[in-house]
Amino acid sequence: MSIEVRNITKRFGAFTAVDDVSLQVGGGELLALLGPSGSGKTTLLRMIAGLEFPDSGSILLNNEDATKHDAARRRVGFVFQHYALFRHMTIFENIAFGLRVRPRQHRLSKSDIRDKVMQLLALVQLEKHEKHFPNQLSGGQRQRIALARALAVEPTLLLLDEPFGALDAKVRKELRRWLRRLHDEIHIASVFVTHDQEEALEVADRVAVLNHGKLEQIGTPQEVYDNPANAFVYNFLGNVNLFHGRVDRGRVRISTMDSESQESTPVVDGSTLGYARPYEINISRESGGAATVHARLLHIYGVGPKVKLELQDIETEAMIEAEIERTQFVELELKQGDEVFVSPSNLRRFVEDYSI
Amino acid sequence: MITAPQTTRRKGSVRAGDAPWVKWPLIALALTFMLVVLVLPLASVFVEAFAKGWQVYLDSIRDPDALSAIRLTLTASGIALTMNLLFGLAAAWAISRFSFKGKNLLISLIDLPLAVSPVVAGLIFVLLFGLHGWFGTWLDDHNIQILFAVPGIVLATIFVTFPFVARELIPFMQAQGTEEEEAALVLGASPWRMFFSITLPNIRWSLLYGVILCSARAMGEFGAVSVVSGHIRGETNTLPLHVEILYNEYNFAAAFAVASLLSLVAVVTLAVKKIIEDKTGRRGEKA
């Protein structure tokens, strides 16, 4: 019940879709492949399923080298982004398909197939729809049928390609929680692809962040969120403010801020980038001297318990986004056009710089 | 700005074009034109065919030369249809599923027979297989008869009807994508099983549509076949050629009787085409 991917590379012409990626998925684990479009996450998933074959590297399924095995032989469950239900078959026939195409000696009897399909329909809570055709179902229902169909062949691995990508926000949220509960119930190693960091962080046991075909970081949601390996991961996992500045003889100068460099490794003089999330921006009415940036409040977005502020650094004219509690917002009596002092409570800098 | 489309739509119902004095003449014109150009000629075929009564009609069709022409037409179009069905499927599969060098060239080449005049198509085969053609001497040495024989007619028919199945399938299969087929493979289906259980049911209506068009064209082909056939009565005459011979002999009743068979094929084709369109149209709405 495991997947091991070793140094996999896949090119399409001159384009390298997956570049020397290695990762492991243990039994019963739910892994998210997270990345922007074109990052190679779907290609990686399709290679694990046997729908695409790597140019180099190997894939081990349940400790057996499956690199050259075709899709039918790998016995994985695959859920497609657009469901890929067989449109000319009923829901029942869709789920039964995987059972019916087995070689005769392994095939279940008719009544066993019926029991199995009904059991799966019960699992996805769509018993009443067995005689319907896919186009009579809603997107969320189709996705559940696609899942039931994938589970029918009792796969040892479940792969899902942007499973909630085509659904609206509310159904999406419901369905991903349901998937998490379902996964805890059936407990098979699963990999799902997503470009939605919220989804990945909420549902997965571990998250693998991909960019330009390379694996940037892999770890639990907590690990990647709290200790991003580089600027890309940091930037991809949430909203971010960028501070352009300079490093000069061990001191970091960003706008009007001036502080001691905190890196353990010596830093080369030159330009630098500091990153801070909107909720890591402190706002005060009083200047904190060399620790703060003088900014003007341009816009206030005040719906909900948190208030989003759009500020502009008066010195550099850079935009700063801040998110504060409503109570604090009221306390500060902020109005549009006010001049305030801003300081990031946690300014991160990464040694290797990314252009975002 | 936001209300603009709505206003246009409301105005649309009282558009000048909807005025009766514009609408009725247009409809009348279209119907008259259709009557004169399409319906009258078709009707005249059947009227002329039965002008001398049932007996003459049946005799004309039961004539050995006519029966041989029917057999040859069915044989040639049957073979052409089979070949082009296989080719059309293969080409559509290759073009919609793979990317390869020369793909665009292949797509353009498939349309070639539609652009080339049928007479030219016939001449191509004369140039290739005629006694003075490229392979003429070799064929003659080996006693293989292609021109002025059934193989030539079959080849010409294949050439002319080449694009129909492929052209019908390619856009349809491209639009449909491969996800369902991949799903079948992941579920453990063999490639054959995938083809017969998933691909074929999905493309069946476009495939049938292409087959209908292809067979109608194959049976009706005149120009290309005329060039390669040699017009040997009872041997290399197809139905359209037979009609021409009878007509040139002033045997009008018989010519129209045989022509009525071809017209019947056309009417049936049209009816089947309409049924398919209705069926696929309804499916499209639901999906």
Side-chain angles (χ1 to χ4, degrees):
Chain A
M1 305 274 268
S2 69
I3 305 169
E4 191 179 344
V5 169
R6 283 189 194 153
N7 305 98
I8 273 224
T9 297
K10 173 76 183 177
R11 289 181 199 88
F12 295 108
F15 174 71
T16 304
V18 175
D19 192 358
D20 196 24
V21 168
S22 301
L23 54 83
Q24 286 184 358
V25 188
E29 188 184 27
L30 182 56
L31 176 85
L33 293 178
L34 176 67
S37 59
S39 59
K41 54 196 190 308
T42 294
T43 308
L44 180 57
L45 194 77
R46 288 171 59 84
M47 286 194 285
I48 298 172
L51 293 171
E52 227 50 91
F53 293 90
D55 295 323
S56 62
S58 50
I59 295 169
L60 281 77
L61 302 181
N62 306 321
N63 302 317
E64 186 196 351
D65 189 351
T67 317
K68 297 226 156 55
H69 292 181
D70 59 24
R73 206 173 141 192
R74 296 198 193 186
R75 291 205 48 198
V76 298
F78 198 99
V79 177
F80 291 81
Q81 184 179 0
H82 300 291
Y83 327 124
L85 296 180
F86 307 133
R87 67 194 89 182
H88 61 285
M89 293 183 192
T90 60
I91 297 310
F92 183 93
E93 289 302 319
N94 260 282
I95 299 175
F97 185 83
L99 302 170
R100 293 206 204 277
V101 298
R102 279 192 195 161
R104 186 151 291 149
Q105 63 269 28
H106 299 300
R107 204 182 300 159
L108 298 173
S109 71
K110 259 201 172 136
S111 62
D112 283 349
I113 289 180
R114 170 140 208 105
D115 291 347
K116 177 108 203 183
V117 173
M118 292 318 287
Q119 197 188 319
L120 282 158
L121 276 169
L123 181 72
V124 298
Q125 298 150 16
L126 288 169
E127 299 100 316
K128 284 180 207 142
H129 297 278
E130 60 159 315
K131 291 198 177 75
H132 289 166
F133 282 89
N135 60 18
Q136 295 169 301
L137 267 56
S138 73
Q141 290 172 330
R142 286 184 212 185
Q143 191 58 288
R144 271 142 65 195
I145 295 300
L147 193 61
R149 183 178 68 178
L151 293 173
V153 293
E154 289 172 11
T156 52
L157 312 160
L158 186 60
L159 308 172
L160 307 101
D161 186 10
E162 305 239 3
F164 318 116
L167 303 170
D168 58 64
K170 195 160 178 293
V171 180
R172 213 181 156 100
K173 223 165 207 166
E174 272 170 31
L175 210 52
R176 75 186 187 215
R177 297 210 168 130
W178 174 81
L179 174 72
R180 180 68 235 191
R181 286 197 303 275
L182 183 76
H183 179 265
D184 293 340
E185 222 170 275
I186 55 180
H187 220 67
I188 59 177
S190 308
V191 180
F192 77 102
V193 158
T194 180
H195 59 258
D196 181 344
Q197 87 283 358
E198 200 188 313
E199 192 171 291
L201 295 174
E202 184 184 308
V203 177
D205 294 317
R206 282 194 307 152
V207 178
V209 186
L210 288 147
N211 186 35
H212 295 310
K214 283 202 159 67
L215 182 64
E216 300 284 0
Q217 190 175 7
I218 183 165
T220 64
Q222 203 69 48
E223 278 164 18
V224 292
Y225 194 81
D226 291 344
N227 298 305
N230 55 43
F232 172 80
V233 175
Y234 183 79
N235 188 50
F236 197 73
L237 292 181
N239 287 338
V240 65
N241 284 300
L242 228 76
F243 295 92
H244 291 264
R246 289 193 67 76
V247 178
D248 190 8
R249 274 165 292 162
R251 298 199 66 79
V252 182
R253 296 206 172 88
I254 288 169
S255 185
T256 50
M257 290 184 293
D258 189 340
S259 59
E260 197 92 30
S261 169
Q262 275 145 25
E263 270 87 26
S264 46
T265 48
V267 196
V268 192
D269 286 1
S271 62
T272 185
L273 285 170
Y275 300 84
R277 303 237 181 254
Y279 58 80
E280 293 171 336
I281 302 284
N282 298 325
I283 293 183
S284 79
R285 286 284 187 183
E286 280 108 54
S287 168
T292 54
V293 171
H294 196 193
R296 178 173 288 118
L297 182 54
L298 296 184
H299 289 288
I300 300 165
Y301 303 96
V303 182
K306 303 237 174 179
V307 180
K308 284 180 188 150
L309 306 172
E310 201 178 291
L311 304 127
Q312 189 175 34
D313 185 338
I314 292 172
E315 178 93 4
T316 63
E317 298 194 335
M319 303 302 290
I320 302 166
E321 202 186 308
E323 200 178 280
I324 60 172
E325 298 291 334
R326 178 160 292 282
T327 47
Q328 198 200 349
F329 174 74
V330 173
E331 241 164 63
L332 288 167
E333 298 175 356
L334 291 171
K335 287 188 307 296
Q336 200 166 319
D338 281 0
E339 283 184 21
V340 292
F341 295 92
V342 166
S343 60
S345 61
N346 183 11
L347 191 69
R348 282 165 206 269
R349 294 190 308 115
F350 296 97
V351 177
E352 44 170 331
D353 263 346
Y354 266 84
S355 49
I356 300 171
Chain B
M1 274 283 279
I2 297 162
T3 50
Q6 257 188 330
T7 356
T8 341
R9 216 172 294 144
R10 243 181 258 140
K11 268 184 188 166
S13 58
V14 289
R15 228 173 44 207
D18 281 353
W21 62 272
V22 174
K23 182 172 149 194
W24 292 112
L26 273 179
I27 292 175
L29 188 72
L31 284 179
T32 316
F33 196 75
M34 204 179 76
L35 197 72
V36 172
V37 176
L38 294 177
V39 179
L40 263 180
L42 188 67
S44 78
V45 169
F46 288 96
V47 170
E48 287 290 331
F50 291 105
K52 290 188 180 165
W54 270 101
Q55 202 49 51
V56 177
Y57 182 85
L58 284 180
D59 284 346
S60 318
I61 290 172
R62 265 187 270 161
D63 176 73
D65 288 348
L67 286 177
S68 130
I70 292 173
R71 264 197 304 276
L72 180 59
T73 297
L74 289 178
T75 315
S77 50
I79 296 174
L81 187 64
T82 314
M83 299 301 282
N84 282 334
L85 187 67
L86 292 177
F87 162 77
L89 264 173
W93 192 281
I95 286 167
S96 63
R97 301 294 187 251
F98 310 113
S99 59
F100 52 90
K101 270 185 187 156
K103 182 164 147 175
N104 284 327
L105 187 71
L106 180 60
I107 295 173
S108 314
L109 276 180
I110 287 171
D111 284 346
L112 184 75
L114 291 179
V116 169
S117 158
V119 177
V120 176
L123 279 175
I124 295 170
F125 291 105
V126 174
L127 280 175
L128 286 178
F129 306 121
L131 207 49
H132 305 288
W134 289 8
F135 307 111
T137 339
W138 186 87
L139 287 172
D140 196 45
D141 290 347
H142 290 78
N143 222 358
I144 300 170
Q145 184 82 18
I146 288 186
L147 229 49
F148 311 128
V150 179
I153 292 170
V154 170
L155 277 174
T157 310
I158 290 177
F159 182 88
V160 172
T161 56
F162 192 72
F164 290 97
V165 176
R167 270 175 67 94
E168 216 39 67
L169 285 179
I170 289 166
F172 186 76
M173 286 176 76
Q174 274 175 334
Q176 210 157 50
T178 53
E179 275 202 343
E180 281 183 52
E181 284 155 3
E182 286 176 346
L185 290 178
V186 175
L187 287 169
S190 68
W192 282 113
R193 180 73 192 237
M194 175 202 83
F195 179 76
F196 286 107
S197 300
I198 308 300
T199 314
L200 211 52
N202 274 341
I203 63 170
R204 63 183 189 266
W205 291 114
S206 347
L207 192 65
L208 194 58
Y209 195 92
V211 162
I212 293 287
L213 290 182
C214 183
S215 53
R217 182 68 209 269
M219 286 190 225
E221 176 53 28
F222 178 82
V225 171
S226 172
V227 175
V228 297
S229 127
H231 302 269
I232 306 164
R233 275 196 172 201
E235 276 182 45
T236 65
N237 255 356
T238 61
L239 273 177
L241 299 182
H242 191 60
V243 172
E244 196 211 11
I245 287 178
L246 290 171
Y247 188 84
N248 287 344
E249 289 168 349
Y250 305 104
N251 195 351
F252 297 134
F256 278 108
V258 178
S260 75
L261 288 181
L262 282 170
S263 308
L264 210 63
V265 170
V267 173
V268 170
T269 304
L270 215 64
V272 176
K273 188 170 158 260
K274 177 79 182 122
I275 292 167
I276 296 173
E277 274 168 0
D278 283 356
K279 263 215 140 78
T280 47
R282 234 180 287 134
R283 280 167 58 88
E285 263 168 48
K286 259 203 270 174

